[in-house]
Amino acid sequence: MSHRNLVRLAVAPFRPGIIVLLGTIALCAGPARAESNSPLPLPNPFHVDETFKMELPAGMKSLGSLSGVKVGPDNNIYVAHRCTTASCTGHDDVPPIIVATQQGKLVKSLGAGLFVWPHGIAAAPDRTLWITDAVATNGVDKDNPNKGHQVFHLDKNGKVLLTLGKAGVTGTGHDTFNAPSDVIVAKNGDIFVADGHGPGMNARIVKFDKNGKYITEWGTRGSGPGQFELPHAMAFDSQGRLFVADRLNDRIEIFDQNGKFLMEWKQFGRPSGLAIDKNDTLYVSDTQTTKGRPGFENGIYIGSAKDGKVTGFIPKIKQYSTWEGPGSDRTNMEAIGVAPDGNTLYGGDSGLLTVIKFVRNK
């Protein structure tokens, strides 16, 4: 955060998409960033299902670092993980995609040998899968020079139907990515890719038609409307609006499907994962450092995708998050998926290397 000569600053009561600053504006040495007050404390409408345990394929002792969790159209859980705590490099025998019932029973596993650093996952209505391969560091994985920086479309058995991007090649063109974080498919089949996973990488949303033909893109690096520092996750609401977790800017940005900026929300913490249920309830995971963010905590923020009001909060499930220092019992729940009715949540925890099931209180 830039050094500031702060004078007096107050924030008016929250109205969706509008932040009004009252009093004297802060004089900033760097780009100004609007701040919003934390909505906490709030009630926790969920509890952990302590009986839930995901069954793993034979010979697999643990999931790797979890990057994506979604509830599919078949109501099964689709999990993407990175084979180990680092990446799938050198572990071509480990399936990075696990499909299980909502009770945790293994349905199938797939994707072994395809990815370096799988990140975002989307389960389409036809039960095909879309997965991004971000690559852990900027550039090309020296141990996998012909992998990474791609988006894969797989059939339900793991056969590759289509790829977007060039394997192991970074770029800003219509057919290249640089560490794509997430992928989502609209009702008409249009494909949206959140391209970029941090400094030195891309910071844009790229739109393709259902056949993978480039349509348009938007976004540059920055903190202004329609810009990104890290477009980490995406979700659609019932209106078809695209919600983007701009993690390093501590905000959610909302667009129409042509890239028109509609509004930004900063009351949901620093978003890593997004999920929206059929009732337009929004679930946002925050697991990053809270330094410089007074009043915000790690956990899952719950609110309305219609008006942005935050109504609930699930605190982190362990005393410490991984960013607070080393330890074997620390949480880092970035990925999040929700059942359509909103009564069950699934969190993918890269600290604990497991999936946590949350059930709505009766």
Side-chain angles (χ1 to χ4, degrees), residues 74-317:
D74 53 4
N75 287 318
N76 286 328
I77 313 165
Y78 289 78
V79 176
H81 71 106
R82 297 175 193 134
C83 303
T84 66
T85 56
S87 79
C88 289
T89 297
H91 299 277
D92 286 352
D93 58 333
V94 178
I97 302 169
I98 307 295
V99 184
T101 68
Q102 290 198 39
Q103 291 71 45
K105 180 176 176 58
L106 179 68
V107 175
K108 58 186 172 182
S109 60
L110 53 144
L114 287 179
F115 309 101
V116 177
W117 210 63
H119 199 279
I121 185 170
D126 61 1
R127 301 188 186 184
T128 60
L129 297 176
W130 291 86
I131 301 98
T132 66
D133 190 358
V135 180
T137 57
N138 187 28
V140 177
D141 187 320
K142 62 181 179 61
D143 296 315
N144 276 309
N146 297 313
K147 289 183 181 180
H149 303 296
Q150 285 189 293
V151 178
F152 287 79
H153 186 199
L154 308 180
D155 73 8
K156 61 183 181 181
N157 297 313
K159 178 184 177 181
V160 178
L161 301 174
L162 176 73
T163 59
L164 302 175
K166 296 180 179 178
V169 177
T170 64
T172 59
H174 297 175
D175 60 350
T176 53
F177 301 115
N178 193 337
S181 288
D182 201 14
V183 58
I184 193 169
V185 181
K187 288 182 178 180
N188 68 351
D190 285 346
I191 306 153
F192 295 79
V193 178
D195 183 23
H197 195 267
M201 303 178 188
N202 293 342
R204 61 178 180 167
I205 304 298
V206 190
K207 179 180 178 180
F208 304 84
D209 71 12
K210 62 183 180 181
N211 299 312
K213 181 181 178 181
Y214 173 90
I215 298 176
T216 189
E217 65 184 80
W218 67 91
T220 57
R221 186 163 302 283
S223 57
Q227 294 183 309
F228 305 103
E229 283 295 335
L230 200 170
H232 196 263
M234 298 181 292
F236 285 122
D237 68 359
S238 64
Q239 301 177 52
R241 299 183 303 174
L242 180 64
F243 286 58
V244 180
D246 184 17
R247 186 164 76 180
L248 293 186
N249 278 324
D250 301 343
R251 65 180 178 179
I252 296 168
E253 291 190 271
I254 304 173
F255 303 88
D256 71 12
Q257 292 189 24
N258 295 315
K260 179 183 177 182
F261 173 81
L262 302 176
M263 63 190 74
E264 68 171 26
W265 290 346
K266 298 177 73 71
Q267 64 273 21
F268 287 87
R270 178 172 289 178
S272 280
L274 302 177
I276 300 176
D277 66 25
K278 69 177 183 179
N279 301 310
D280 271 339
T281 301
L282 171 64
Y283 307 85
V284 183
S285 60
D286 178 335
T287 187
Q288 297 282 296
T289 177
T290 57
K291 294 178 180 178
R293 299 194 289 135
F296 286 94
E297 299 176 12
N298 291 152
I300 300 172
Y301 291 80
I302 303 168
S304 171
K306 295 179 180 179
D307 61 17
K309 183 178 179 181
V310 187
T311 57
F313 180 73
I314 304 173
K316 61 186 178 184
I317 60 172

